[in-house]
mmCIF file of all heavy atoms in Angstrom:
data_model
loop_
_atom_site.group_PDB
_atom_site.id
_atom_site.type_symbol
_atom_site.label_atom_id
_atom_site.label_comp_id
_atom_site.label_asym_id
_atom_site.label_seq_id
_atom_site.Cartn_x
_atom_site.Cartn_y
_atom_site.Cartn_z
ATOM 1 N N SER A 1 51.117 59.704 31.956
ATOM 2 C CA SER A 1 52.039 60.116 30.906
ATOM 3 C C SER A 1 53.325 59.305 31.008
ATOM 4 O O SER A 1 54.045 59.401 31.998
ATOM 5 C CB SER A 1 52.344 61.610 31.023
ATOM 6 O OG SER A 1 51.176 62.387 30.842
ATOM 7 N N LEU A 2 53.597 58.511 29.967
ATOM 8 C CA LEU A 2 54.818 57.711 29.888
ATOM 9 C C LEU A 2 55.480 57.985 28.547
ATOM 10 O O LEU A 2 54.956 57.596 27.510
ATOM 11 C CB LEU A 2 54.527 56.212 30.026
ATOM 12 C CG LEU A 2 54.050 55.696 31.390
ATOM 13 C CD1 LEU A 2 53.812 54.193 31.326
ATOM 14 C CD2 LEU A 2 55.056 56.010 32.479
ATOM 15 N N ASP A 3 56.605 58.654 28.568
ATOM 16 C CA ASP A 3 57.271 59.040 27.331
ATOM 17 C C ASP A 3 58.602 58.323 27.132
ATOM 18 O O ASP A 3 59.448 58.774 26.366
ATOM 19 C CB ASP A 3 57.500 60.554 27.299
ATOM 20 C CG ASP A 3 56.191 61.330 27.373
ATOM 21 O OD1 ASP A 3 55.188 60.873 26.806
ATOM 22 O OD2 ASP A 3 56.163 62.385 28.029
ATOM 23 N N GLY A 4 58.767 57.200 27.799
ATOM 24 C CA GLY A 4 59.968 56.400 27.633
ATOM 25 C C GLY A 4 59.795 55.058 28.315
ATOM 26 O O GLY A 4 59.075 54.948 29.316
ATOM 27 N N ALA A 5 60.431 54.026 27.774
ATOM 28 C CA ALA A 5 60.272 52.671 28.304
ATOM 29 C C ALA A 5 61.481 52.205 29.101
ATOM 30 O O ALA A 5 61.479 51.105 29.652
ATOM 31 C CB ALA A 5 59.997 51.689 27.163
ATOM 32 N N THR A 6 62.513 53.026 29.161
ATOM 33 C CA THR A 6 63.684 52.725 29.971
ATOM 34 C C THR A 6 63.896 53.865 30.956
ATOM 35 O O THR A 6 63.509 55.012 30.675
ATOM 36 C CB THR A 6 64.946 52.564 29.113
ATOM 37 O OG1 THR A 6 65.260 53.826 28.478
ATOM 38 C CG2 THR A 6 64.731 51.492 28.038
ATOM 39 N N PRO A 7 64.509 53.603 32.093
ATOM 40 C CA PRO A 7 64.738 54.682 33.063
ATOM 41 C C PRO A 7 65.498 55.855 32.466
ATOM 42 O O PRO A 7 65.193 57.016 32.745
ATOM 43 C CB PRO A 7 65.531 53.997 34.169
ATOM 44 C CG PRO A 7 65.104 52.556 34.103
ATOM 45 C CD PRO A 7 64.894 52.280 32.637
ATOM 46 N N GLU A 8 66.479 55.564 31.615
ATOM 47 C CA GLU A 8 67.294 56.627 31.030
ATOM 48 C C GLU A 8 66.490 57.456 30.028
ATOM 49 O O GLU A 8 66.517 58.690 30.048
ATOM 50 C CB GLU A 8 68.537 56.043 30.351
ATOM 51 C CG GLU A 8 69.474 55.272 31.271
ATOM 52 C CD GLU A 8 68.958 53.883 31.608
ATOM 53 O OE1 GLU A 8 68.064 53.368 30.876
ATOM 54 O OE2 GLU A 8 69.434 53.311 32.619
ATOM 55 N N GLY A 9 65.763 56.754 29.138
ATOM 56 C CA GLY A 9 64.966 57.450 28.143
ATOM 57 C C GLY A 9 63.835 58.257 28.758
ATOM 58 O O GLY A 9 63.526 59.369 28.319
ATOM 59 N N PHE A 10 63.215 57.688 29.787
ATOM 60 C CA PHE A 10 62.131 58.378 30.468
ATOM 61 C C PHE A 10 62.638 59.640 31.158
ATOM 62 O O PHE A 10 62.037 60.711 31.039
ATOM 63 C CB PHE A 10 61.491 57.430 31.491
ATOM 64 C CG PHE A 10 60.304 58.009 32.211
ATOM 65 C CD1 PHE A 10 59.048 57.976 31.632
ATOM 66 C CD2 PHE A 10 60.439 58.577 33.462
ATOM 67 C CE1 PHE A 10 57.946 58.502 32.298
ATOM 68 C CE2 PHE A 10 59.350 59.097 34.134
ATOM 69 C CZ PHE A 10 58.103 59.062 33.547
ATOM 70 N N ALA A 11 63.740 59.519 31.873
ATOM 71 C CA ALA A 11 64.303 60.657 32.592
ATOM 72 C C ALA A 11 64.790 61.741 31.654
ATOM 73 O O ALA A 11 64.865 62.912 32.029
ATOM 74 C CB ALA A 11 65.443 60.195 33.498
ATOM 75 N N ASP A 12 65.103 61.375 30.419
ATOM 76 C CA ASP A 12 65.552 62.342 29.421
ATOM 77 C C ASP A 12 64.437 63.305 29.026
ATOM 78 O O ASP A 12 64.697 64.433 28.625
ATOM 79 C CB ASP A 12 66.067 61.594 28.175
ATOM 80 C CG ASP A 12 66.667 62.532 27.138
ATOM 81 O OD1 ASP A 12 67.447 63.418 27.530
ATOM 82 O OD2 ASP A 12 66.343 62.375 25.936
ATOM 83 N N VAL A 13 63.181 62.867 29.144
ATOM 84 C CA VAL A 13 62.030 63.693 28.792
ATOM 85 C C VAL A 13 61.383 64.292 30.032
ATOM 86 O O VAL A 13 61.124 65.498 30.091
ATOM 87 C CB VAL A 13 60.993 62.872 28.001
ATOM 88 C CG1 VAL A 13 59.766 63.735 27.678
ATOM 89 C CG2 VAL A 13 61.592 62.307 26.723
ATOM 90 N N ARG A 14 61.127 63.457 31.008
ATOM 91 C CA ARG A 14 60.407 63.884 32.209
ATOM 92 C C ARG A 14 61.394 64.098 33.345
ATOM 93 O O ARG A 14 61.608 63.221 34.196
ATOM 94 C CB ARG A 14 59.327 62.866 32.573
ATOM 95 C CG ARG A 14 58.285 62.743 31.477
ATOM 96 C CD ARG A 14 57.013 62.116 31.870
ATOM 97 N NE ARG A 14 55.987 62.527 30.908
ATOM 98 C CZ ARG A 14 55.129 63.514 31.065
ATOM 99 N NH1 ARG A 14 55.142 64.200 32.181
ATOM 100 N NH2 ARG A 14 54.249 63.836 30.138
ATOM 101 N N LEU A 15 61.972 65.280 33.359
ATOM 102 C CA LEU A 15 63.016 65.614 34.312
ATOM 103 C C LEU A 15 62.439 65.670 35.723
ATOM 104 O O LEU A 15 61.479 66.383 35.992
ATOM 105 C CB LEU A 15 63.646 66.961 33.940
ATOM 106 C CG LEU A 15 64.164 67.098 32.496
ATOM 107 C CD1 LEU A 15 64.813 68.456 32.284
ATOM 108 C CD2 LEU A 15 65.131 65.980 32.155
ATOM 109 N N GLY A 16 63.041 64.892 36.598
ATOM 110 C CA GLY A 16 62.588 64.854 37.978
ATOM 111 C C GLY A 16 61.777 63.625 38.325
ATOM 112 O O GLY A 16 61.394 63.448 39.486
ATOM 113 N N ALA A 17 61.494 62.766 37.341
ATOM 114 C CA ALA A 17 60.702 61.559 37.578
ATOM 115 C C ALA A 17 61.561 60.318 37.368
ATOM 116 O O ALA A 17 62.528 60.340 36.601
ATOM 117 C CB ALA A 17 59.495 61.510 36.659
ATOM 118 N N GLU A 18 61.189 59.237 38.036
ATOM 119 C CA GLU A 18 61.895 57.965 37.912
ATOM 120 C C GLU A 18 60.912 56.910 37.439
ATOM 121 O O GLU A 18 59.896 56.647 38.090
ATOM 122 C CB GLU A 18 62.517 57.561 39.243
ATOM 123 C CG GLU A 18 63.569 58.541 39.757
ATOM 124 C CD GLU A 18 64.159 58.110 41.093
ATOM 125 O OE1 GLU A 18 63.841 56.993 41.558
ATOM 126 O OE2 GLU A 18 64.948 58.882 41.665
ATOM 127 N N LEU A 19 61.196 56.314 36.282
ATOM 128 C CA LEU A 19 60.285 55.345 35.691
ATOM 129 C C LEU A 19 59.987 54.160 36.613
ATOM 130 O O LEU A 19 58.818 53.765 36.732
ATOM 131 C CB LEU A 19 60.833 54.852 34.348
ATOM 132 C CG LEU A 19 59.961 53.850 33.604
ATOM 133 C CD1 LEU A 19 58.619 54.457 33.227
ATOM 134 C CD2 LEU A 19 60.681 53.330 32.343
ATOM 135 N N PRO A 20 60.974 53.543 37.266
ATOM 136 C CA PRO A 20 60.650 52.394 38.133
ATOM 137 C C PRO A 20 59.635 52.728 39.217
ATOM 138 O O PRO A 20 58.784 51.893 39.551
ATOM 139 C CB PRO A 20 62.009 52.013 38.734
ATOM 140 C CG PRO A 20 63.020 52.515 37.746
ATOM 141 C CD PRO A 20 62.441 53.771 37.202
ATOM 142 N N VAL A 21 59.706 53.936 39.749
ATOM 143 C CA VAL A 21 58.756 54.340 40.789
ATOM 144 C C VAL A 21 57.340 54.415 40.224
ATOM 145 O O VAL A 21 56.376 53.950 40.834
ATOM 146 C CB VAL A 21 59.166 55.698 41.398
ATOM 147 C CG1 VAL A 21 58.094 56.190 42.365
ATOM 148 C CG2 VAL A 21 60.514 55.583 42.099
ATOM 149 N N ILE A 22 57.210 54.992 39.044
ATOM 150 C CA ILE A 22 55.891 55.144 38.431
ATOM 151 C C ILE A 22 55.308 53.790 38.059
ATOM 152 O O ILE A 22 54.117 53.528 38.272
ATOM 153 C CB ILE A 22 55.978 56.069 37.207
ATOM 154 C CG1 ILE A 22 56.352 57.473 37.678
ATOM 155 C CG2 ILE A 22 54.658 56.096 36.438
ATOM 156 C CD1 ILE A 22 56.680 58.414 36.586
ATOM 157 N N ILE A 23 56.130 52.902 37.506
ATOM 158 C CA ILE A 23 55.655 51.560 37.149
ATOM 159 C C ILE A 23 55.210 50.808 38.391
ATOM 160 O O ILE A 23 54.175 50.127 38.389
ATOM 161 C CB ILE A 23 56.745 50.783 36.395
ATOM 162 C CG1 ILE A 23 57.107 51.498 35.089
ATOM 163 C CG2 ILE A 23 56.283 49.355 36.103
ATOM 164 C CD1 ILE A 23 55.952 51.747 34.168
ATOM 165 N N GLU A 24 55.962 50.936 39.473
ATOM 166 C CA GLU A 24 55.567 50.305 40.731
ATOM 167 C C GLU A 24 54.225 50.854 41.209
ATOM 168 O O GLU A 24 53.362 50.098 41.674
ATOM 169 C CB GLU A 24 56.640 50.538 41.797
ATOM 170 C CG GLU A 24 56.318 49.891 43.145
ATOM 171 C CD GLU A 24 57.366 50.183 44.200
ATOM 172 O OE1 GLU A 24 58.436 50.729 43.841
ATOM 173 O OE2 GLU A 24 57.122 49.887 45.393
ATOM 174 N N ASN A 25 54.031 52.168 41.081
ATOM 175 C CA ASN A 25 52.760 52.787 41.474
ATOM 176 C C ASN A 25 51.594 52.244 40.657
ATOM 177 O O ASN A 25 50.507 51.966 41.186
ATOM 178 C CB ASN A 25 52.840 54.301 41.320
ATOM 179 C CG ASN A 25 53.786 54.957 42.312
ATOM 180 O OD1 ASN A 25 54.174 54.354 43.309
ATOM 181 N ND2 ASN A 25 54.178 56.200 42.026
ATOM 182 N N LEU A 26 51.796 52.084 39.354
ATOM 183 C CA LEU A 26 50.733 51.601 38.480
ATOM 184 C C LEU A 26 50.425 50.127 38.726
ATOM 185 O O LEU A 26 49.259 49.715 38.679
ATOM 186 C CB LEU A 26 51.118 51.826 37.021
ATOM 187 C CG LEU A 26 51.179 53.300 36.583
ATOM 188 C CD1 LEU A 26 51.793 53.426 35.203
ATOM 189 C CD2 LEU A 26 49.792 53.925 36.611
ATOM 190 N N ARG A 27 51.437 49.326 38.987
ATOM 191 C CA ARG A 27 51.208 47.911 39.279
ATOM 192 C C ARG A 27 50.479 47.747 40.613
ATOM 193 O O ARG A 27 49.655 46.837 40.761
ATOM 194 C CB ARG A 27 52.539 47.159 39.273
ATOM 195 C CG ARG A 27 53.112 46.989 37.870
ATOM 196 C CD ARG A 27 54.520 46.420 37.870
ATOM 197 N NE ARG A 27 54.994 46.198 36.505
ATOM 198 C CZ ARG A 27 56.246 45.923 36.188
ATOM 199 N NH1 ARG A 27 57.173 45.842 37.150
ATOM 200 N NH2 ARG A 27 56.602 45.754 34.920
ATOM 201 N N ARG A 28 50.763 48.622 41.555
ATOM 202 C CA ARG A 28 50.026 48.587 42.827
ATOM 203 C C ARG A 28 48.562 48.944 42.593
ATOM 204 O O ARG A 28 47.663 48.303 43.135
ATOM 205 C CB ARG A 28 50.665 49.534 43.824
ATOM 206 C CG ARG A 28 49.928 49.573 45.168
ATOM 207 C CD ARG A 28 50.707 50.389 46.204
ATOM 208 N NE ARG A 28 50.930 51.744 45.772
ATOM 209 C CZ ARG A 28 52.114 52.360 45.840
ATOM 210 N NH1 ARG A 28 53.136 51.749 46.359
ATOM 211 N NH2 ARG A 28 52.232 53.599 45.421
ATOM 212 N N LEU A 29 48.310 49.965 41.765
ATOM 213 C CA LEU A 29 46.941 50.323 41.412
ATOM 214 C C LEU A 29 46.233 49.146 40.756
ATOM 215 O O LEU A 29 45.074 48.847 41.074
ATOM 216 C CB LEU A 29 46.944 51.519 40.470
ATOM 217 C CG LEU A 29 45.621 51.863 39.759
ATOM 218 C CD1 LEU A 29 44.553 52.238 40.765
ATOM 219 C CD2 LEU A 29 45.827 52.998 38.757
ATOM 220 N N PHE A 30 46.923 48.485 39.855
ATOM 221 C CA PHE A 30 46.370 47.334 39.157
ATOM 222 C C PHE A 30 45.920 46.244 40.141
ATOM 223 O O PHE A 30 44.854 45.640 39.969
ATOM 224 C CB PHE A 30 47.421 46.789 38.186
ATOM 225 C CG PHE A 30 47.013 45.556 37.443
ATOM 226 C CD1 PHE A 30 45.992 45.588 36.503
ATOM 227 C CD2 PHE A 30 47.657 44.357 37.670
ATOM 228 C CE1 PHE A 30 45.619 44.445 35.816
ATOM 229 C CE2 PHE A 30 47.303 43.210 36.984
ATOM 230 C CZ PHE A 30 46.272 43.258 36.059
ATOM 231 N N LYS A 31 46.708 46.018 41.177
ATOM 232 C CA LYS A 31 46.389 44.982 42.165
ATOM 233 C C LYS A 31 45.313 45.431 43.148
ATOM 234 O O LYS A 31 44.541 44.607 43.650
ATOM 235 C CB LYS A 31 47.654 44.581 42.931
ATOM 236 C CG LYS A 31 48.712 43.894 42.078
ATOM 237 C CD LYS A 31 49.961 43.590 42.890
ATOM 238 C CE LYS A 31 51.033 42.923 42.026
ATOM 239 N NZ LYS A 31 52.282 42.677 42.821
ATOM 240 N N MET A 32 45.242 46.733 43.430
ATOM 241 C CA MET A 32 44.311 47.232 44.439
ATOM 242 C C MET A 32 42.884 47.379 43.920
ATOM 243 O O MET A 32 41.946 47.457 44.715
ATOM 244 C CB MET A 32 44.807 48.579 44.976
ATOM 245 C CG MET A 32 46.054 48.488 45.841
ATOM 246 S SD MET A 32 46.686 50.122 46.355
ATOM 247 C CE MET A 32 45.306 50.747 47.319
ATOM 248 N N ARG A 33 42.708 47.435 42.608
ATOM 249 C CA ARG A 33 41.356 47.581 42.066
ATOM 250 C C ARG A 33 40.494 46.360 42.396
ATOM 251 O O ARG A 33 40.991 45.264 42.620
ATOM 252 C CB ARG A 33 41.408 47.775 40.555
ATOM 253 C CG ARG A 33 42.115 49.032 40.107
ATOM 254 C CD ARG A 33 42.097 49.174 38.601
ATOM 255 N NE ARG A 33 42.608 47.996 37.928
ATOM 256 C CZ ARG A 33 42.684 47.850 36.596
ATOM 257 N NH1 ARG A 33 42.291 48.822 35.817
ATOM 258 N NH2 ARG A 33 43.168 46.729 36.083
ATOM 259 N N GLY A 34 39.198 46.562 42.393
ATOM 260 C CA GLY A 34 38.289 45.474 42.676
ATOM 261 C C GLY A 34 38.267 44.429 41.565
ATOM 262 O O GLY A 34 38.755 44.670 40.456
ATOM 263 N N PRO A 35 37.676 43.258 41.834
ATOM 264 C CA PRO A 35 37.595 42.208 40.814
ATOM 265 C C PRO A 35 36.600 42.577 39.717
ATOM 266 O O PRO A 35 35.791 43.489 39.872
ATOM 267 C CB PRO A 35 37.118 40.992 41.613
ATOM 268 C CG PRO A 35 36.351 41.578 42.768
ATOM 269 C CD PRO A 35 37.045 42.864 43.106
ATOM 270 N N GLY A 36 36.661 41.824 38.620
ATOM 271 C CA GLY A 36 35.745 42.046 37.506
ATOM 272 C C GLY A 36 36.486 42.145 36.196
ATOM 273 O O GLY A 36 37.712 42.244 36.151
ATOM 274 N N HIS A 37 35.724 42.118 35.100
ATOM 275 C CA HIS A 37 36.336 42.200 33.778
ATOM 276 C C HIS A 37 36.946 43.572 33.508
ATOM 277 O O HIS A 37 37.994 43.682 32.878
ATOM 278 C CB HIS A 37 35.306 41.868 32.697
ATOM 279 C CG HIS A 37 34.857 40.442 32.707
ATOM 280 N ND1 HIS A 37 35.708 39.398 32.398
ATOM 281 C CD2 HIS A 37 33.667 39.882 32.979
ATOM 282 C CE1 HIS A 37 35.045 38.257 32.489
ATOM 283 N NE2 HIS A 37 33.804 38.518 32.846
ATOM 284 N N PHE A 38 36.302 44.641 33.969
ATOM 285 C CA PHE A 38 36.781 45.984 33.732
ATOM 286 C C PHE A 38 36.771 46.777 35.035
ATOM 287 O O PHE A 38 35.971 47.698 35.223
ATOM 288 C CB PHE A 38 35.926 46.676 32.669
ATOM 289 C CG PHE A 38 35.879 45.945 31.360
ATOM 290 C CD1 PHE A 38 34.729 45.278 30.971
ATOM 291 C CD2 PHE A 38 36.986 45.902 30.536
ATOM 292 C CE1 PHE A 38 34.670 44.589 29.771
ATOM 293 C CE2 PHE A 38 36.940 45.207 29.331
ATOM 294 C CZ PHE A 38 35.788 44.551 28.943
#
């Protein structure tokens, strides 16, 4: 669930969450997945 594209806008909706942390988590997931088209 991503309801904002900036830290300020995101925090305005999802109280208690920090967008940079979530983006970092997703980019790590992206790198950790196995190779392949999908």
Side-chain angles (χ1 to χ4, degrees):
S1 297
L2 291 180
D3 300 324
T6 65
E8 299 77 18
F10 183 83
D12 185 45
V13 178
R14 298 198 159 263
L15 307 182
E18 298 180 6
L19 181 63
V21 174
I22 294 171
I23 299 304
E24 181 182 350
N25 292 344
L26 292 170
R27 288 172 176 168
R28 179 172 59 227
L29 168 63
F30 177 67
K31 294 177 181 178
M32 290 176 62
R33 297 181 307 179
H37 292 294
F38 303 107

